[in-house]
Amino acid sequence: QVQLAESGGGSVQAGDSLILSCVASTRTFSDYAMAWFRQAEGKERELVAAISWGGAVTTYSDSVKGRFTISRDNAKNTVYLQMNSLKPEDTGVYQCAGKYFPVMGRVPSSDFDYWGQGTQINVSS
């Protein structure tokens, strides 16, 4: 069982930046693809960004492309989400997710196996 713990949420104003961190409790973190999802009130959960086991492949939702950056440090069992130019529509609960996926050149977009508790981000205009 892999446990994921997010940190870094909060309340900011439009245009501000935040960085989220997620630490994983596994000795084989480098075998896992990682992702950030978010869910706004009254909406379905959506994939924000994902990263391959080694960090070479990333994918982003169209709504955050160019503003958010996902990265990872396998030595620290940590995945990050740098969020710039935040907008009110970025408000929601952000969850870290992991999937055992030691596959070259690909990133899964669904069926993640492990989830963090989530961290709330509020962006005011």
Side-chain angles (χ1 to χ4, degrees):
Q1 187 76 9
V2 177
Q3 294 185 333
L4 303 175
E6 304 100 336
S7 61
S11 296
V12 297
Q13 293 191 328
D16 286 350
S17 297
L18 273 178
I19 183 165
L20 302 181
S21 301
C22 172
V23 179
S25 66
T26 173
R27 295 179 183 176
T28 58
F29 181 69
S30 59
D31 288 336
Y32 285 77
M34 300 298 295
W36 288 95
F37 287 76
R38 70 184 179 191
Q39 187 167 20
E41 191 171 347
K43 295 186 177 181
E44 291 187 358
R45 183 166 60 193
E46 64 168 338
L47 175 68
V48 175
I51 189 167
S52 61
W53 61 272
V57 181
T58 58
T59 185
Y60 297 91
S61 68
D62 288 342
S63 62
V64 307
K65 203 171 293 183
R67 299 188 297 123
F68 291 11
T69 302
I70 189 170
S71 61
R72 65 189 296 159
D73 185 340
N74 286 349
K76 296 181 178 180
N77 279 20
T78 303
V79 62
Y80 304 96
L81 185 67
Q82 174 69 50
M83 302 179 291
N84 298 329
S85 302
L86 283 160
K87 303 176 180 180
E89 51 264 42
D90 294 319
T91 293
V93 176
Y94 284 68
Q95 283 182 286
C96 173
K99 179 180 178 64
Y100 181 77
F101 200 80
V103 177
M104 293 286 287
R106 289 177 56 200
V107 176
S109 60
S110 61
D111 300 324
F112 283 80
D113 302 307
Y114 303 102
W115 296 85
Q117 294 283 349
T119 184
Q120 177 73 43
I121 292 177
N122 295 308
V123 184
S124 58
S125 57

